[in-house]
Amino acid sequence: MWHRGYGGLITYMRTDSPRVSPDAITGAREWISKTLGAHYLPATPNVYKGKKDAQDAHEAIRPTDASRTPSRLRAID
């Protein structure tokens, strides 16, 4: 469980990399399936190539946990 004041909401914010970890892809796909329905879930995840000049040392900007929705975080306050 995430507690107020502990943990970030997004990954490293100074990158233009399209790379996303397999764990993040799995988490996002699970959230989409449970929350929005399987009809919104593509059969396979999208994969993008990086640009030559991209700051690719870090993973793409993404939520650290798809289950940390605004309404869930408001309830922690």
Side-chain angles (χ1 to χ4, degrees), residues 45-74:
N46 295 330
V47 178
Y48 301 96
K49 286 187 171 187
K51 296 177 186 175
K52 182 181 175 190
D53 297 333
Q55 296 178 26
D56 199 21
H58 298 277
E59 186 181 3
I61 299 168
R62 63 165 177 84
T64 55
D65 182 345
S67 69
R68 293 180 184 166
T69 61
S71 59
R72 190 163 166 233
L73 293 174
R74 255 191 305 277

Side-chain angles (χ1 to χ4, degrees), residues 15-37:
T15 183
D16 54 357
S17 170
R19 261 186 310 115
V20 179
S21 78
D23 290 342
I25 292 170
T26 299
R29 291 178 62 80
E30 287 174 359
W31 184 88
I32 291 167
S33 181
K34 289 178 188 175
T35 307
L36 303 176

